[in-house]
Amino acid sequence: MAEYVVVPADRIAFTSAGLSPVDAASLVVGGATALIALRDSVRLVKGERVLVRGAAGGVGTAAVQPAHAIGGRVTAPARDRHAKALGDLGADQVLDHADTTPEQSGPFDVIVDTVGSDLSRYRRRLTDGGRMVTVALSGPILAAIAASTVHGARLIRTFSANPDSALLHDLADQVTFGALYPVVADVYPLADIASAHRAFQRGGVMGKHVVAISG
């Protein structure tokens, strides 16, 4: 964390009018990742059934909204206490992730994964020609991605989000047009950054943790 940081000019963009610095900061990583996943990686189209794993997290809450705006039929596994909020964001169905196995859900045309577990089991819930994209990377996940390129047409894809100004402008437009709304779980001052990390490690909240750096 730092009060000042130098970035290339082609990696910045104006925020939407009226968006606070905290809300803007909460959208950069999750929002950009969600847009790349849905529009560029799996190319979601209207009417497709889409599962957003980790729907209550920072990327998940950002993915549910444009998936709904595109016209996808969104299923969101989450804790029961997040069901209403996810429905307000655009989820058509909220499943209790503690009581629902992959075999009890689907089939889906698209799966957006932010969790990184059970990829092979969820891949079997894809329709023929279905697409899965994961943003959680590890050795076993890379092995599952490699296996999907060899066995069948249901591919698992991944990418590294590195948003440029054009994508950030698109992100701001999504907010302006009402297709994307920032979801902030809590805000911590820089002096209490240790609490922010502990809260992130505990999980279980909806949205992003934000550290506010005052001048």
Side-chain angles (χ1 to χ4, degrees), residues 20 27 44 51 59 72 91 103 105 108 148 156 159 187-188:
S20 73
L27 280 174
L44 177 69
L51 174 72
V59 176
E103 291 74 22
S105 60
F108 301 101
S148 78
I156 303 175
F159 60 89
V187 181
Y188 296 86

Side-chain angles (χ1 to χ4, degrees), residues 78-115:
R79 290 174 169 83
D80 280 344
R81 66 175 179 270
H82 300 318
K84 183 182 184 304
L86 286 168
D88 292 341
L89 292 179
D92 298 284
Q93 181 184 30
V94 180
L95 302 176
D96 184 347
H97 75 94
D99 295 328
T100 306
T101 66
E103 291 74 22
Q104 292 172 317
S105 60
F108 301 101
D109 303 296
V110 165
I111 296 176
V112 177
D113 170 72
T114 73
V115 180

Side-chain angles (χ1 to χ4, degrees), residues 23-78:
D23 286 341
S26 74
L27 280 174
V28 172
V29 175
T33 301
L35 287 185
I36 295 171
L38 290 165
R39 299 193 315 191
D40 302 333
S41 184
V42 298
R43 299 184 180 180
L44 177 69
V45 299
K46 183 178 180 179
E48 288 191 312
R49 294 160 293 184
V50 54
L51 174 72
V52 179
R53 297 191 65 209
V59 176
T61 53
V64 166
Q65 298 176 72
H68 170 74
I70 291 169
R73 292 149 55 191
V74 183
T75 296

